[in-house]
Amino acid sequence: MTKVTALPDRVDFDVAADETLLEAALRSGVPFAHACGGRAKCSTCRVWVLDGIEACPDRNPDETLMANRLRLADEVRLACQLRPEGELRVRRLVLDETDMMITSQLGTSAATRCGEARHVAVFFSDIVDFTALSERLSPYDVMYLLNRYFAQVGDVIEQNGGFIDKLIGDGLMAIFGIDDQPDAPLRAVNAALQTLATVDRLKPFFASMYGIDFDIRIGLNYGEAVIGTLGFAGHERLTAIGDVVNLASRVEAANKDAGTRLLISEALRDQIADKVEIGDFVRVRLRGTAERTSLFEIVRLKPEIDAELNSKGLRETIRHGGRRWVRAFAEDELRPYERRILDFEDYDIVVVRGSDNYCAFNNACPHLHLPLYERRSSTEAEKLKLPHTESTITADLGLVCRWHQSCFDLSTGEIRGWAQLQQDGTAPGYEFAGDISKNRAKLIVYPCRKQDGFVWIGLE
């Protein structure tokens, strides 16, 4: 028999050699939760081993599966699977029905985290003078502007391994290093620089569309945070909490007085100082702090680091029939009527697979010069609660533009059906682009061919 002390009950009981900790506790009248009946499916019987961890055998496969899913610390064990080999002092972690609702994994579709310490880089961004901007725009335009901005910046963050924690009005918070990525600080800086570059590309669009000067500010910090799943049933989300998060928000706010766009904390600077070019530093007293803090303005990554981090593999090219052909991807990577966006230096190309052939075209409406497809999928947009409309492809390979419903032949680029325009020749909602009724430009298409199991695109 092995003696176990259970807290907060302050009850001692014995565990027989053929019993699990849960079985012995229930036999002794200790109210251990066990929603799944002791089958390692719910985790509600979890305990924290305060003393005697050395008397606990290694996790069996069932417990290991749940522990890995929830990223449980070594001291947190499932009582339904634990057969102690010596004296233990444990604390029950699920005490009532509310705890059971929070912790039970029965019926959950996504893995949750119980709370773990991680060193992370925290990214905060905010739109400059957003209140004033929003007062000049209609409610529809405010939401459209925000969603277009978030959709593009969200891609940048995710491509750099970041996790978008939350959108708060015009603010965005992201976490880098949530899974212990060693280069998280550098990835966060790279994402910040690419975000600013994305905003610079958006500026002319917003200026012509709304007559506004659009810009953002970004603050980054690095340190230890608690990573865990927070919320109530059906509304849980993964998040980070701790001083590192609060300080990152204050670093972002310091840009306003410093007249900068991107500031990082000294803690983050120490992680990447030899990989970036620092323009200047400022000494400020951050909101809620008593002492002055050094913040650093990042200009760019050092050229060799930028090349290493952001280099794009060169696609194989061949000359054939007086044209340069670029290898896109293997034939079986797309199912019929699926599409893929290929990123080239000066433009994007969309490739669509038909029933027995492939079509490629420039990812820009020839009339409004706006992207026919966003990089973010409809599933991703729904996950972030972003509105998402797409151009559509008909069964006979016609492309219906999402902006004004003109239909193009994907084989030739010719217009099959002309736009639905207003009497003055403008597209509804895009009057800023002017009269496009006489601009019956074709869609730019590129020839495709199959060779050696790959799809090739002819560029010139």
Side-chain angles (χ1 to χ4, degrees):
M1 302 288 280
T2 297
K3 178 184 175 182
V4 174
T5 300
L7 299 177
D9 314 276
R10 297 185 180 181
V11 172
D12 295 337
F13 60 92
D14 293 324
V15 182
D18 60 344
E19 284 185 309
T20 65
L21 181 61
L22 174 63
E23 289 169 340
L26 296 178
R27 173 176 54 77
S28 303
V30 183
F32 273 46
H34 53 292
C36 72
R39 296 179 292 115
K41 300 297 184 183
C42 67
S43 87
T44 59
C45 67
R46 67 181 74 162
V47 296
W48 189 284
V49 180
L50 302 173
D51 293 306
I53 188 65
E54 65 280 355
C56 298
D58 293 340
R59 292 181 171 118
N60 64 26
D62 289 339
E63 185 181 6
T64 297
L65 188 64
M66 181 62 74
N68 289 342
R69 177 183 179 187
L70 299 179
R71 300 172 186 265
L72 298 178
D74 292 342
E75 295 81 9
V76 178
R77 300 298 300 265
L78 299 186
C80 69
Q81 304 299 309
L82 176 59
R83 298 178 185 272
E85 298 173 349
E87 291 191 3
L88 296 182
R89 191 166 67 96
V90 302
R91 177 162 58 90
R92 289 193 296 125
L93 297 179
V94 178
L95 304 178
D96 57 21
E97 290 183 2
T98 299
D99 286 348
M100 286 187 66
M101 178 186 69
I102 294 171
T103 59
S104 178
Q105 298 302 299
L106 296 177
T108 58
S109 58
T112 58
R113 298 195 185 185
C114 303
E116 53 193 304
R118 286 281 184 272
H119 276 83
V120 296
V122 182
F123 174 117
F124 261 96
S125 69
D126 217 2
I127 297 176
V128 176
D129 295 329
F130 179 72
T131 300
L133 291 181
S134 61
E135 290 174 350
R136 297 176 53 186
L137 303 176
S138 71
Y140 172 86
D141 289 333
V142 170
M143 296 306 295
Y144 175 83
L145 179 150
L146 285 175
N147 284 317
R148 187 165 181 82
Y149 160 65
F150 284 138
Q152 298 199 36
V153 172
D155 282 335
V156 169
I157 289 170
E158 292 182 349
Q159 288 167 11
N160 281 281
F163 169 78
I164 298 175
D165 184 299
K166 58 177 70 74
L167 306 176
I168 311 169
D170 63 308
L172 180 149
M173 172 184 166
I175 312 167
F176 294 79
I178 205 165
D179 290 314
D180 267 349
Q181 295 93 330
D183 60 350
L186 182 60
R187 292 283 180 179
V189 172
N190 192 51
L193 292 169
Q194 291 180 346
T195 295
L196 292 177
T198 297
V199 167
D200 288 341
R201 291 193 295 271
L202 283 171
K203 283 182 178 182
F205 173 75
F206 286 143
S208 64
M209 191 166 184
Y210 301 119
I212 61 173
D213 184 14
F214 182 85
D215 207 353
I216 68 167
R217 304 185 183 104
I218 301 174
L220 304 177
N221 188 27
Y222 181 76
E224 188 175 80
V226 175
I227 306 297
T229 304
L230 208 60
F232 60 98
H235 297 271
E236 305 89 348
R237 63 181 178 84
L238 190 64
T239 190
I241 57 176
D243 287 342
V244 63
V245 176
N246 301 329
L247 186 59
S249 175
R250 293 165 185 166
V251 171
E252 183 277 315
N255 280 287
K256 183 175 182 179
D257 292 332
T260 52
R261 301 175 78 197
L262 170 58
L263 289 174
I264 69 171
S265 67
E266 190 168 7
L268 183 57
R269 190 283 309 264
D270 291 345
Q271 300 294 317
I272 46 88
D274 60 337
K275 297 179 175 64
V276 299
E277 295 181 14
I278 296 176
D280 201 354
F281 76 94
V282 295
R283 293 280 295 171
V284 297
R285 182 176 289 110
L286 296 177
R287 186 180 70 252
T289 62
E291 298 180 356
R292 288 189 174 274
T293 303
S294 294
L295 303 178
F296 300 85
E297 183 182 15
I298 300 297
V299 177
R300 62 181 67 87
L301 300 182
K302 289 186 175 180
E304 63 275 16
I305 301 299
D306 183 45
E308 178 182 343
L309 194 61
N310 298 313
S311 62
K312 297 177 180 177
L314 296 177
R315 295 187 175 96
E316 181 182 348
T317 62
I318 58 174
R319 299 291 301 185
H320 178 77
R323 182 182 292 271
R324 182 169 67 95
W325 295 83
V326 177
R327 192 174 79 174
F329 46 78
E331 288 185 48
D332 58 1
E333 288 187 27
L334 282 185
R335 295 194 296 268
Y337 298 98
E338 279 191 340
R339 61 176 171 79
R340 176 171 296 182
I341 301 176
L342 302 181
D343 182 14
F344 291 85
E345 184 173 352
D346 298 322
Y347 48 83
D348 292 341
I349 292 179
V350 181
V351 183
V352 177
R353 180 176 179 179
S355 57
D356 57 0
N357 63 336
Y358 293 83
C359 301
F361 55 92
N362 185 32
N363 188 30
C365 165
H367 308 125
L368 291 176
H369 307 293
L370 298 175
L372 294 162
Y373 288 99
E374 299 289 351
R375 292 187 177 278
R376 186 174 298 278
S377 70
S378 57
T379 302
E380 292 172 321
E382 289 171 4
K383 183 171 63 177
L384 289 176
K385 295 181 172 57
L386 299 176
H388 190 87
T389 58
E390 285 191 338
S391 302
T392 56
I393 297 173
T394 63
D396 58 348
L397 292 181
L399 174 74
V400 180
C401 171
R402 64 173 174 161
W403 303 109
H404 53 79
Q405 288 74 54
S406 288
C407 183
F408 302 92
D409 188 309
L410 289 184
S411 299
T412 64
E414 296 289 347
I415 298 173
R416 290 184 181 175
W418 184 232
Q420 298 176 8
L421 303 179
Q422 300 177 115
Q423 288 186 348
D424 60 359
T426 60
Y430 301 92
E431 290 80 3
F432 69 91
D435 183 356
I436 63 172
S437 62
K438 299 178 182 178
N439 175 25
R440 295 180 178 245
K442 296 168 53 177
L443 180 69
I444 299 175
V445 297
Y446 303 91
C448 295
R449 60 194 295 261
K450 295 180 286 186
Q451 179 178 319
D452 302 326
F454 291 92
V455 177
W456 298 75
I457 303 172
L459 296 185
E460 57 184 36

